[in-house]
Amino acid sequence: MGKARKAESNKDGNTNTNNEQVPVVNHPVRILITFVIAGIAIYYRLQPLFREDKNAMLLAGWNTTVGTSGIVQELPCAPDHKIEFEGCEALRCGRFLLDRLISQEEAQQLIEIAEKGMSLGGGSGGATILDLHTGAVSKGTKFADVRLLAKSQGIEELFTYDELKLYRTIKNRIKVELEKKWKIAPGKLTLTQPTFFSRMTGKPPATVHDEYWHIHTDTEQYERFHYTTLLYLNTYKRDFEGGRFMFDTPSYNNTVHPKAGRVSMFTSGIENPHHVERVTSGVRYAITIPFTCDPNYGISDPQS
């Protein structure tokens, strides 16, 4: 056997076992290649921030402001849609988005009200709700009465007069805008159950009630809903990831980015199937405020 050839090193420190010259990439070229690779990686990481899913049409983005006239999408009502309550039910169904009705400061105040009640409970899964009208709050895998929880901790008045006044004022402001948009006669529309704050996180579901991301229509769950309104209290991308609201159609989704103070209003029938995308990080806050034309299903304002 011949002797093994000793590995040699060139003057740049590159080992060559075959006595052949190893090409060396010049230092500036290596820096350029590194920057190009890093740039491509950054582009693909940030690309989702600047585009929607290919099957989604963006109605209102988190970094845009809906104008004073709002965004309107008119839709035909369900084929079996019947007018039971003249002067109240929609002759033409649809959706309406508005940004300037509720201020971001008011939205933050409402988060503080929600957290005051939710801090006494809290769901085991990713969703916690608080209903100021009934006092129901998520606690573990069930619901409890937030007023009794407060009293058990020596708190006689959980929500102040001013806090409940703010809640009523904002609810009434939304109601007036809804009446204007759908030309509803005064005194015909009333708040209905359930009206509630929601707090959503990326925690895995503990019960079926935590699985808020399934497609549904509101009248399937609550027959006497005629109009649904949603008030977003914080902002997609800034405060949480995921959690976009989507109106579903067979071919694509009409997507709404939650934004603090943004109001979404829509008729509650099968013309508006929808779902909330699962929150992946952060905390998403909103209020669901439904209205009915049936006075038998109306509810009064919460009392302190």
Side-chain angles (χ1 to χ4, degrees):
M1 294 178 61
K3 294 182 180 180
R5 183 175 293 175
K6 183 179 179 181
E8 299 177 359
S9 299
N10 60 26
K11 63 181 180 180
D12 292 313
N14 294 298
T15 301
N16 180 5
T17 58
N18 296 312
N19 287 333
E20 295 178 356
Q21 184 68 32
V22 176
V24 180
V25 178
N26 292 331
H27 188 60
V29 176
R30 280 187 286 182
I31 292 176
L32 178 61
I33 292 172
T34 301
F35 273 111
V36 169
I37 293 173
I40 292 172
I42 291 170
Y43 169 77
Y44 279 105
R45 282 185 67 85
L46 296 183
Q47 195 179 27
L49 300 181
F50 304 105
R51 64 170 175 81
E52 287 297 301
D53 301 334
K54 64 180 180 179
N55 293 325
M57 184 178 79
L58 183 61
L59 291 183
W62 65 275
N63 55 355
T64 60
T65 299
V66 176
T68 53
S69 58
I71 293 174
V72 180
Q73 280 193 326
E74 290 195 343
L75 301 168
C77 297
D80 60 350
H81 178 67
K82 297 177 181 178
I83 302 296
E84 297 180 66
F85 302 94
E86 292 289 343
C88 185
E89 289 183 85
L91 299 176
R92 182 77 175 168
C93 296
R95 308 156 184 163
F96 182 52
L97 297 171
L98 198 59
D99 270 354
R100 301 178 186 273
L101 190 62
I102 311 298
S103 72
Q104 294 195 12
E105 291 76 15
E106 289 172 321
Q108 180 58 41
Q109 289 177 291
L110 288 171
I111 289 178
E112 293 167 6
I113 293 171
E115 276 300 326
K116 184 184 281 191
M118 291 175 178
S119 66
L120 299 175
S124 298
T128 295
I129 72 160
L130 170 67
D131 185 335
L132 294 185
H133 300 262
T134 65
V137 65
S138 303
K139 188 171 177 61
T141 59
K142 299 181 180 180
F143 293 97
D145 189 325
V146 72
R147 296 162 295 196
L148 296 180
L149 293 174
K151 287 182 179 179
S152 71
Q153 298 190 22
I155 304 170
E156 290 299 322
E157 185 182 70
L158 180 58
F159 302 109
T160 68
Y161 173 83
D162 287 339
E163 288 171 335
L164 294 179
K165 180 181 177 182
L166 173 68
Y167 176 82
R168 290 193 301 268
T169 298
I170 289 175
K171 179 266 296 181
N172 289 335
R173 202 182 302 164
I174 291 172
K175 179 173 178 282
V176 168
E177 197 65 32
L178 178 63
E179 289 169 335
K180 285 166 53 180
K181 173 58 192 163
W182 268 277
K183 298 180 174 57
I184 300 170
K188 295 285 187 178
L189 198 64
T190 182
L191 192 68
T192 191
Q193 289 182 326
T195 298
F196 58 92
F197 290 89
S198 61
R199 181 181 70 192
M200 297 177 181
T201 71
K203 290 174 65 177
T207 72
V208 68
H209 301 294
D210 296 322
E211 298 179 10
Y212 51 81
W213 48 84
H214 299 299
I215 298 173
H216 65 279
T217 58
D218 288 341
T219 50
E220 287 177 341
Q221 297 176 297
Y222 309 105
E223 183 181 356
R224 302 318 288 178
F225 274 29
H226 288 100
Y227 301 92
T228 303
T229 70
L230 305 171
L231 169 58
Y232 299 110
L233 303 181
N234 61 347
T235 302
Y236 171 68
K237 289 295 181 189
R238 188 187 70 188
D239 302 306
F240 57 90
E241 294 284 346
R244 297 176 298 173
F245 183 93
M246 299 184 181
F247 291 107
D248 298 278
T249 71
S251 55
Y252 61 89
N253 295 326
N254 287 277
T255 304
V256 178
H257 291 173
K259 179 180 179 180
R262 175 167 289 164
V263 178
S264 174
M265 308 177 178
F266 52 94
T267 49
S268 304
I270 62 171
E271 66 280 353
N272 275 315
H274 58 273
H275 74 283
V276 175
E277 179 184 49
R278 191 168 181 174
V279 173
T280 56
S281 65
V283 184
R284 178 192 192 270
Y285 293 94
I287 308 179
T288 299
I289 308 174
F291 293 93
T292 183
C293 297
D294 189 339
N296 294 319
Y297 287 83
I299 59 174
S300 58
D301 289 329
Q303 304 299 315
S304 59

